[in-house]
């Protein structure tokens, strides 16, 4: 069975600085998808970034980028130029690549605080 | 506007009183799913459905029932709620496929308290 581990329950970053959130996973599959979701105080789940395992290039979305290390089964999220609006709970998630399933595995989350 | 709606958004109930949380999507998505979110545990999948009349258990199905009689609706049923089902519940939907546009949309969440 697949697992997703987020070992940092809480992180803090100064506004305008850079922070990295860690995520490791375990799977025997060779093809899969990894995600970072943001959950602000409104509780809405927002997709931040998505990485396909067969792509070696790390995904980037504006100030958000990932460091995907497939052999190490590591998928960290880097937030550059942190803003107050980045304060939220962040979840790492895994999905198998098969189109015949709808199974997602989520990590336990990292609460990010942004200090003014 | 493409959206997943859930009702009610907040519910306080008592042990053993049957309840249903509704979920509806307007995107004609084949796939729908229910999650529960608990502090320190993240989101865990309860049930999912890949088409009308097709449902499968997720990781924590005990104490829950679902049905998928129509493509747009996927209600979550708690026939005899217990305090350990106090949680934040999310419904989500997506269409089948593996590209960028095939990711899931989440509803706004339902906060359930069972006393």
């Amino acid at each position: 069975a697949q697992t997703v581990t987020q070992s940092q329950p809480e992180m803090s970053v100064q506004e305008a600085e850079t922070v990295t959130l860690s995520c490791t996973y375990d799977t025997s599959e060779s093809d899969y998808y990894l995600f970072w979701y943001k959950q602000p105080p409104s509780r809405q789940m927002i997709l931040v970034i998505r990485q396909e395992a067969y792509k070696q290039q790390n995904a980037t979305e504006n100030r958000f980028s990932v460091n995907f290390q497939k052999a190490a089964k590591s998928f960290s999220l880097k937030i550059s130029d942190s803003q107050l609006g980045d304060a939220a709970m962040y979840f790492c998630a895994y999905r198998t690549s098969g189109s015949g399933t709808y199974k997602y595995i989520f990590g336990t989350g990292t609460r990010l605080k942004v200090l003014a | 506007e493409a959206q997943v709606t859930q009702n009610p958004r907040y519910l306080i109930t008592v042990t053993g009183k049957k309840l249903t949380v509704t979920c509806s999507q307007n995107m004609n998505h084949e796939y729908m799913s229910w999650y529960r979110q608990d502090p320190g545990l993240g989101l865990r999948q309860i049930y999912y459905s890949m088409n009308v009349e097709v449902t499968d258990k997720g990781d924590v199905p005990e104490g829950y029932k679902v049905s998928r009689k129509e493509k747009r609706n996927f209600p979550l049923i708690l026939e005899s709620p217990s305090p350990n089902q106090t949680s934040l519940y999310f419904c989500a939907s997506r269409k089948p496929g593996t590209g960028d546009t095939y990711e899931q949309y989440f509803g706004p969440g339902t906060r359930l308290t069972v006393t």
Side-chain angles (χ1 to χ4, degrees), chain B residues 67-94:
Chain B
S67 68
R68 187 94 181 273
K69 293 181 170 32
E70 303 168 283
K71 196 174 187 179
R72 64 182 292 128
N73 296 323
F74 191 44
L76 180 69
I77 303 159
L78 285 72
E79 297 214 326
S80 184
S82 62
N84 64 12
Q85 293 179 297
T86 292
S87 188
L88 176 60
Y89 290 86
F90 286 100
C91 182
S93 73
R94 60 180 280 255

Side-chain angles (χ1 to χ4, degrees), chain A residues 33 35 37 39 42-45 47 50 52 91 95 97-109, chain B residues 9-10 31-33 35 37 40 42-43 45 48 50 59 88 90 92-94 98-100 103-104 106 108-109:
Chain A
Y33 295 89
F35 309 88
Y37 283 90
Q39 186 181 50
S42 66
R43 302 186 324 206
Q44 183 65 41
M45 293 293 290
L47 178 63
R50 173 182 184 274
E52 297 170 61
F91 292 100
R95 173 168 75 82
S97 68
S99 60
T101 182
Y102 186 175
K103 287 216 70 173
Y104 281 74
I105 309 296
F106 282 79
T108 53
Chain B
R9 296 288 309 280
Y10 300 89
Y31 294 2
M32 297 186 75
S33 180
Y35 298 88
Q37 181 181 352
L43 279 79
Q45 206 164 18
Y48 61 94
M50 298 176 68
D59 294 320
L88 176 60
F90 286 100
S93 73
R94 60 180 280 255
T98 57
D100 286 355
E103 294 315 321
Q104 56 186 343
F106 280 89

Side-chain angles (χ1 to χ4, degrees), chain A residues 18-66:
Chain A
T18 296
V19 65
T20 299
L21 308 184
S22 300
C23 173
T24 58
Y25 60 94
D26 191 26
T27 183
S28 59
E29 299 175 333
S30 59
D31 199 14
Y32 46 86
Y33 295 89
L34 296 165
F35 309 88
W36 280 98
Y37 283 90
K38 172 184 178 181
Q39 186 181 50
S42 66
R43 302 186 324 206
Q44 183 65 41
M45 293 293 290
I46 302 166
L47 178 63
V48 175
I49 202 164
R50 173 182 184 274
Q51 175 79 42
E52 297 170 61
Y54 69 87
K55 289 186 177 178
Q56 293 188 336
Q57 185 173 8
N58 289 325
T60 299
E61 288 287 343
N62 301 315
R63 298 182 295 105
F64 298 86
S65 61
V66 298

